[in-house]
């Protein structure tokens, strides 16, 4: 969440920054300012009355010591205590309301973002060649079925639409991609591997900003836990309520997990194939850094995600998201979009985001710059490194041949044990 002191000291700066996201957010700043002023007024009044009560208590004790009548002063003291109790209750209510308002206000976007909605997103660079196939390319759902590796009807029968079944070489391809990406990020990029829980508490989901913003998109169990929408949630919360010791940052983790999303509000979008699904596999990168290091760290995370696509020889583009398109908790986000020849679309497979100290304030993650320094909030960042469904779409559609077979990139061959998938369901190589 944003720093209330920043709102207090520079309300117009915060208002202007948030209005770059959404013009209506200016009202939220007004509400925060009013609540903060009321809270501070109550604090001052309570402190003054408590000081008066302490002084009155001392006078009562002195009167009793000399055996003088203190009944009148005791009566005043009781009335004073009642007033303080009422004000303490009011203060608690105001503080609770202020906290709830703060939790509902999105992060402040950084200054270098394009202004506007999704149409203002900026293509930063492109990599690879979008090759024109000399035949009409098939979409991945046809390729997957013909290759005997993707069974959407059975997935729908088991759990409903949006729950694909990978079978045979399809399941092996999923495993190969996960192992390839995990090895790359651990062995070459230096991340620490984590296997986190797939369920999180409401506090953990609130800490990363999924609650309240994306609560409708999450699957909730009957005992109040949530299936993770991304490994970002449990991995970021590894250090909730902790203070990093001096010299222990940066700290970087990589995790492979299944992810679960209800896709609320996406009804009717991308209903064919596996472009938009409710369960999918993803490798996630998460970093904790000191504030001055977060700009460079975001670029590094982005490059590490790009390395996956480059090794797989998938054409992609880097897109800087505009102020009206970044996520609730994000201050700046790059998307990586791969080209998929069969559906003729650029498909997002990764987002690399910096959250500045927004998540750290919610999850109470701090660090000490030196042994004697006061704790400060870290900066958190993450990137998908990368998500599997759309990566598989691009692999199948871009590398298909007229006979329905699909070539496998060299980097993936040792993991898959094949350099070509064939419609017979058998792999070659």
């Amino acid at each position: 969440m944003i720093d209330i002191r920043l709102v207090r000291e520079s309300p117009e700066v915060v208002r202007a920054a948030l209005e770059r996201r959404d013009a209506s957010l200016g009202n939220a700043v007004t509400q925060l300012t009013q609540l903060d002023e009321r809270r501070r007024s109550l604090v001052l009044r309570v402190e003054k009355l408590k000081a008066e009560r302490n002084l009155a208590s001392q006078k009562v004790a002195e009167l009793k010591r000399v055996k003088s009548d203190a009944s009148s002063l005791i009566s005043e003291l009781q009335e004073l205590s009642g007033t303080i109790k009422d004000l303490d209750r009011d203060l608690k209510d105001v503080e609770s309301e202020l906290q709830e308002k703060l939790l509902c206000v999105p992060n402040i976007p950084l200054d270098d973002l394009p202004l506007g909605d999704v149409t203002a997103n900026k293509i930063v660079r492109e990599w690879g060649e979008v090759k024109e196939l000399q035949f009409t390319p098939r979409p991945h759902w046809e390729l997957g079925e013909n290759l005997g590796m993707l069974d959407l009807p059975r997935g729908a029968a088991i759990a409903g639409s949006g729950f694909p079944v990978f079978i045979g070489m399809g399941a092996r391809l999923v495993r190969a991609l996960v192992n390839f990406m995990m090895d790359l990020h651990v062995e070459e990029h230096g991340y620490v591997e984590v296997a986190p829980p797939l369920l999180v508490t409401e506090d953990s989901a609130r800490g990363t900003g999924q609650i309240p913003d994306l609560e409708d998109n999450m699957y909730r169990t009957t005992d109040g836990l949530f299936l993770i929408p991304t490994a970002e949630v449990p991995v970021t919360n590894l250090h909730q309520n902790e203070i990093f010791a001096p010299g222990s940052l940066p700290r970087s983790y990589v995790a492979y997990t299944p992810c679960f999303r209800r896709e609320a509000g996406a009804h009717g979008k991308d209903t064919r194939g596996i472009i938009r699904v409710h369960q999918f596999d993803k490798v996630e990168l998460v970093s904790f850094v000191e504030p001055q290091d977060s700009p460079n760290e975001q670029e590094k995370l982005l490059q590490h995600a790009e390395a996956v696509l480059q090794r797989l020889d998938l054409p992609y583009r880097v897109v800087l998201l505009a102020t009206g398109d970044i996520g609730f908790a994000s201050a700046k986000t790059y998307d990586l979009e791969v080209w998929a020849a069969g559906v003729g679309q650029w498909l997002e497979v990764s987002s690399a985001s910096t959250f500045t100290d927004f998540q750290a304030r919610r999850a109470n993650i701090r660090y000490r710059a030196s042994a004697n320094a006061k704790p400060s909030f870290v900066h958190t960042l993450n990137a998908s490194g990368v998500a599997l469904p759309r990566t598989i779409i691009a692999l199948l559609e871009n590398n298909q041949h007229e006979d329905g077979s699909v070539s496998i990139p060299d980097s993936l061959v040792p993991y898959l044990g094949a350099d070509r998938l064939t419609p017979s369901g058998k792999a070659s190589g």
Side-chain angles (χ1 to χ4, degrees):
M1 58 188 169
I2 61 177
D3 186 354
I4 188 60
R5 288 178 298 178
L6 181 61
V7 177
R8 182 186 308 144
E9 295 167 5
S10 305
E12 294 310 314
V13 172
V14 175
R15 186 191 310 276
L18 288 175
E19 285 180 342
R20 294 178 68 221
R21 274 182 172 267
D22 185 333
S24 67
L25 288 172
N27 294 330
V29 176
T30 300
Q31 293 174 349
L32 290 176
T33 301
Q34 292 172 346
L35 284 169
D36 183 53
E37 289 175 350
R38 186 179 173 194
R39 183 191 67 82
R40 288 190 296 150
S41 175
L42 283 169
V43 167
L44 290 174
R45 189 175 175 193
V46 167
E47 288 177 347
K48 180 181 177 182
L49 291 179
K50 285 182 177 179
E52 293 178 5
R53 183 177 63 183
N54 290 340
L55 184 60
S57 295
Q58 293 172 6
K59 290 181 178 179
V60 167
E62 179 64 23
L63 288 172
K64 287 184 176 181
R65 188 180 65 80
V66 298
K67 295 182 171 48
S68 296
D69 182 17
S71 58
S72 177
L73 192 54
I74 290 173
S75 178
E76 292 178 12
L77 189 58
Q78 290 174 338
E79 184 178 344
L80 187 59
S81 294
T83 301
I84 292 172
K85 183 178 180 180
D86 290 340
L87 290 175
D88 276 337
R89 185 173 56 250
D90 291 344
L91 178 59
K92 184 178 180 180
D93 290 343
V94 170
E95 288 177 336
S96 177
E97 185 178 357
L98 177 59
Q99 183 72 4
E100 287 300 313
K101 292 288 185 185
L102 279 170
L103 288 171
C104 293
V105 175
N107 201 358
I108 294 172
L110 297 183
D111 292 337
D112 58 339
L113 273 61
L115 180 63
D117 60 14
V118 63
T119 60
N121 290 349
K122 178 183 177 183
I123 298 175
V124 177
R125 60 178 174 272
E126 298 185 12
W127 185 92
E129 180 184 356
V130 175
K131 300 175 183 177
E132 278 194 37
L133 300 179
Q134 301 305 307
F135 56 92
T136 301
R138 300 178 181 179
H140 62 279
W141 54 86
E142 290 184 13
L143 290 167
E145 181 180 359
N146 291 339
L147 292 167
M149 57 180 290
L150 181 62
D151 195 329
L152 296 175
R154 283 191 170 92
I158 295 167
S161 63
F163 292 91
V165 170
F166 291 95
I167 193 166
M169 287 304 293
R172 190 167 177 176
L173 177 60
V174 169
R175 179 158 51 93
L177 281 166
V178 170
N179 290 336
F180 158 68
M181 290 188 283
M182 292 298 289
D183 285 351
L184 174 63
H185 295 313
V186 171
E187 296 172 7
E188 296 190 32
H189 298 156
Y191 290 83
V192 175
E193 185 172 350
V194 178
L198 302 184
L199 290 164
V200 293
T201 65
E202 185 172 328
D203 283 345
S204 292
R206 185 177 292 107
T208 48
Q210 268 67 29
I211 292 178
D213 182 55
L214 296 173
E215 185 171 358
D216 289 344
N217 259 342
M218 299 171 69
Y219 287 99
R220 186 169 192 161
T221 67
T222 55
D223 53 0
L225 295 175
F226 291 87
L227 286 168
I228 63 169
T230 165
E232 167 200 345
V233 182
V235 176
T236 302
N237 279 284
L238 281 174
H239 295 289
Q240 60 177 265
N241 299 314
E242 291 185 17
I243 300 175
F244 286 102
S248 61
L249 295 176
R251 188 75 62 87
S252 298
Y253 298 104
V254 59
Y256 151 70
T257 65
C259 303
F260 306 88
R261 300 181 185 179
R262 293 183 60 242
E263 293 292 349
H267 180 71
K269 295 181 181 178
D270 303 317
T271 56
R272 297 293 302 274
I274 57 172
I275 294 178
R276 191 179 298 275
V277 290
H278 298 304
Q279 177 183 327
F280 61 96
D281 297 294
K282 182 157 67 81
V283 171
E284 189 77 3
L285 311 174
V286 175
S287 288
F288 303 83
V289 301
E290 296 186 20
Q292 68 273 14
D293 297 327
S294 65
N296 288 337
E297 187 70 14
Q298 184 178 20
E299 298 298 324
K300 185 174 78 171
L301 286 168
L302 176 63
Q303 290 168 13
H304 290 168
E306 288 183 77
V308 173
L309 303 180
Q310 291 172 7
R311 299 286 180 95
L312 295 175
D313 197 25
L314 293 176
Y316 68 86
R317 62 188 187 185
V318 179
V319 181
L320 176 61
L321 301 192
T323 53
D325 196 33
I326 57 173
F328 176 84
S330 175
K332 180 179 180 179
T333 294
Y334 293 105
D335 275 359
L336 290 180
E337 299 176 346
V338 295
W339 174 252
V343 294
Q345 296 180 45
W346 291 96
L347 303 176
E348 177 203 332
V349 295
S350 175
S351 290
S353 301
T354 176
F355 305 100
T356 57
D357 61 359
F358 188 83
Q359 291 180 330
R361 288 183 180 278
R362 299 166 78 95
N364 192 29
I365 308 171
R366 296 175 292 169
Y367 76 101
R368 293 186 192 274
S370 63
N372 298 321
K374 290 183 177 181
S376 300
F377 289 104
V378 303
H379 278 201
T380 60
L381 308 95
N382 70 37
S384 307
V386 293
L388 265 66
R390 295 175 183 179
T391 302
I392 290 174
I393 290 172
L395 281 171
L396 295 180
E397 295 186 357
N398 294 348
N399 296 311
Q400 64 179 293
H401 300 277
E402 195 166 7
D403 64 0
S405 64
V406 173
S407 298
I408 299 299
D410 291 343
S411 61
L412 203 57
V413 171
Y415 293 91
L416 187 63
D419 60 9
R420 195 179 186 95
L421 302 176
T422 64
S424 65
K426 297 179 180 179
S428 65

